[in-house]
Amino acid sequence: MDFSTPDTPGARTEQRLVLRPGDAGYDDELAGFQTGFAQRPDVVFAASGTDDVVAAVAYAAEAGLPVGVQATGHGLPDASHGGVLITTRRMDEVVVDPEARTVRVGAGVRWGQVVAAAAEHGLAPLNGSAPSVGAVSYTLGGGLGILAREFGYAADHVRSLDVVTADGAVRHVTAESEPELFWGLLGGGANLGAVTALEIGLVPVTRLYGGALAFDGRAVDPAAILRAYTAWTETVPDEVTSSVAALVYPDLPMLPEALRGRYLVTVRVAYTGSAEDGERLVAPLRAIGPAHEDSLRELPYTESHTIHSDPDFPHAYYGESRMLDALDTAGLERLVSLAGPAADRMHVVQLNHLGGALARPAANAVPHRDARWLLRILSPLDGAADAAGTDRETLREFYADALAGVERHTVGRSLNFTFGGGDRTEGLYDPETRKRLAGLKALYDPANLFRRNYDVR
């Protein structure tokens, strides 16, 4: 049924679709990758362009309602009820300028689209490990990518942003036109407005040496793997970006037979140098012990997602992260042990090697550049137990205990890898960055319309 204003259910004009609870398509519009946090807004603006976003912000401002923005639903901060939700999945334009080595991406674009489009011109974006993640939201949180140690955060390569601020204004923001807002948008998440498009620099990368080296954690001591991996990272150049992950795979029929019930500790590597040099670089890793899987090889950049092989199906999850200035080996080993086969549920523990270009100053609000490691833990949510929040509370208690051994080296947390818990904003920014972002929030969003996020106010 068609209506002319958003005051009635199922409102649609020729260019605008607005949905309310009970409307056909309402539940489908809310569907995203994270299934653990229920989203039940009063009004959904299914945006196809900037005008729709302006209309949504104006409507929310007039009604005094909070605003959330959802592209793919990977990084939902929490469940939410009421307010206005802007969905941007239809804003999926990708335009590559091969001469300038840039790409313009709409608010709903996924990284897989950008990788494919850039590859046609011998270029690559600074995307993350999962092709289904939204490029804009990822970048606004900083963006720790496959080539991060060589090129830095994705946010470091943004040339301009188009954003609708709380006053309904459409702004084209560059480091020259509005340097303070430019700084705050990149790293500040969704706090300062609804970003409708980004222009991002690309890099001349067409192939990699990389892949995964997985060890059976029941046959090879996980502690020995961790010690060998962290020692190896001290020897590699900035052109090597790597991580190690440990998890016990559930014995489920949807998983490949080779993974069911396995306890794997996996090193993932991406290197832009030659395959010959890559083989020499990873030789110490192969010497750790017999590998359950060894996919290290030369590969086109379009296959870079196979290095991590992140799950591509929606599911419910929760998690935590720690940015570390040094590594407490005993604390890390204890965490991996607690989250291993003896745990009462599946946990994914991942350690990312930072440094290199990630440590360089940049004109944005991405914090904790002095961190040398990113430690994160992710756990599936039990839907039935979490209906009352009890499962998340259980996990918080587990995380507090499991992460206690690394707290003395913790400098903060990562916005991109907080995995829910929008009420937990401590540590996401250093005090000076938080103060500066709060000042921008007071200037550009004094009523705090954009509060369905990790609020900096």
Side-chain angles (χ1 to χ4, degrees):
M1 185 178 296
D2 288 347
F3 296 87
S4 59
T5 75
D7 295 323
T8 50
R12 180 197 290 270
T13 67
E14 184 178 346
Q15 298 179 332
R16 189 164 302 136
L17 173 62
V18 181
L19 300 166
R20 291 180 180 272
D23 289 347
Y26 174 87
D27 291 331
D28 290 341
E29 193 64 26
L30 299 178
F33 192 80
Q34 165 67 275
T35 63
F37 304 151
Q39 307 294 299
R40 303 302 296 178
D42 295 324
V43 186
V44 181
F45 282 76
S48 296
T50 300
D51 288 348
D52 296 335
V53 177
V54 171
V57 172
Y59 178 80
E62 183 178 354
L65 296 173
V67 179
V69 181
Q70 178 175 311
T72 63
H74 280 75
L76 297 180
D78 211 336
S80 66
H81 298 271
V84 172
L85 180 68
I86 304 170
T87 58
T88 63
R89 68 186 67 173
R90 295 167 183 79
M91 301 173 66
D92 60 354
E93 183 180 47
V94 179
V95 180
V96 176
D97 182 339
E99 297 300 320
R101 290 184 179 175
T102 61
V103 61
R104 179 179 170 81
V105 298
V109 168
R110 298 168 184 257
W111 273 126
Q113 299 169 256
V114 188
V115 170
E120 295 180 9
H121 305 282
L123 300 168
L126 296 177
N127 56 289
S129 58
S132 63
V133 167
V136 169
S137 51
Y138 160 99
T139 304
L140 297 181
L144 181 68
I146 292 171
L147 305 179
R149 278 178 36 85
E150 181 172 2
F151 296 106
Y153 287 98
D156 300 346
H157 296 260
V158 172
R159 308 287 181 84
S160 67
L161 310 92
D162 292 339
V163 59
V164 179
T165 45
D167 58 0
V170 180
R171 303 171 187 267
H172 181 71
V173 181
T174 69
E176 294 72 35
S177 68
E178 295 185 80
E180 191 68 2
L181 181 57
F182 181 87
W183 175 89
L185 287 167
L186 296 170
N191 269 282
L192 303 176
V195 173
T196 58
L198 293 179
E199 182 185 13
I200 312 173
L202 300 171
V203 295
V205 173
T206 60
R207 39 74 56 199
L208 294 173
Y209 175 84
L213 189 63
F215 301 94
D216 185 333
R218 294 186 175 94
V220 183
D221 181 12
I225 300 170
L226 293 171
R227 288 193 293 270
Y229 168 71
T230 54
W232 174 78
T233 62
E234 298 295 324
T235 70
V236 299
D238 290 352
E239 291 78 15
V240 174
T241 301
S242 68
S243 63
V244 62
L247 72 150
V248 180
Y249 285 90
D251 188 3
L252 297 174
M254 70 277 295
L255 292 175
E257 184 66 34
L259 295 180
R260 294 182 195 173
R262 291 275 187 177
Y263 178 35
L264 296 183
V265 183
T266 305
V267 180
R268 287 83 67 93
V269 176
Y271 172 56
T272 55
S274 70
E276 182 180 10
D277 288 343
E279 285 287 305
R280 284 196 293 268
L281 281 168
V282 301
L285 297 177
R286 286 188 168 131
I288 292 173
H292 173 74
E293 175 195 359
D294 184 345
S295 65
L296 291 165
R297 68 205 189 277
E298 187 164 35
L299 67 156
Y301 194 79
T302 51
E303 294 180 12
S304 60
H305 63 280
T306 64
I307 295 173
H308 292 75
S309 296
D310 290 335
D312 59 1
F313 53 87
H315 56 284
Y317 50 94
Y318 198 63
E320 189 52 279
S321 65
R322 293 290 186 271
M323 303 287 279
L324 309 173
D325 61 8
L327 202 57
D328 186 313
T329 304
L332 175 63
E333 291 174 6
R334 178 176 181 271
L335 167 61
V336 170
S337 176
L338 289 173
D344 60 1
R345 69 163 77 201
M346 173 184 172
H347 302 285
V348 182
V349 176
Q350 179 165 312
L351 181 71
N352 287 72
H353 182 213
L354 305 180
L358 294 165
R360 298 172 192 161
N364 57 52
V366 179
H368 310 314
R369 289 179 179 266
D370 56 340
R372 297 181 59 196
W373 302 95
L374 166 63
L375 179 62
R376 41 186 165 137
I377 181 169
L378 181 149
S379 312
L381 280 171
D382 182 315
D386 197 55
T390 55
D391 202 35
R392 274 178 279 181
E393 186 57 38
T394 298
L395 286 171
R396 287 194 195 195
E397 293 174 2
F398 174 78
Y399 295 160
D401 177 47
L403 291 167
V406 302
E407 291 300 342
R408 69 191 181 99
H409 291 300
T410 296
V411 297
R413 299 160 65 219
S414 170
L415 181 62
N416 278 141
F417 301 106
T418 300
F419 303 128
D423 57 322
R424 294 174 295 143
T425 59
E426 66 280 359
L428 292 177
Y429 302 98
D430 59 89
E432 183 57 35
T433 299
R434 175 101 186 205
K435 179 180 178 181
R436 191 172 167 187
L437 284 171
L440 284 169
K441 182 75 166 177
L443 179 63
Y444 287 97
D445 185 15
N448 200 17
L449 288 181
F450 294 98
R451 59 183 183 269
R452 289 284 168 80
N453 50 50
Y454 298 92
D455 199 348
V456 299
R457 191 179 64 167

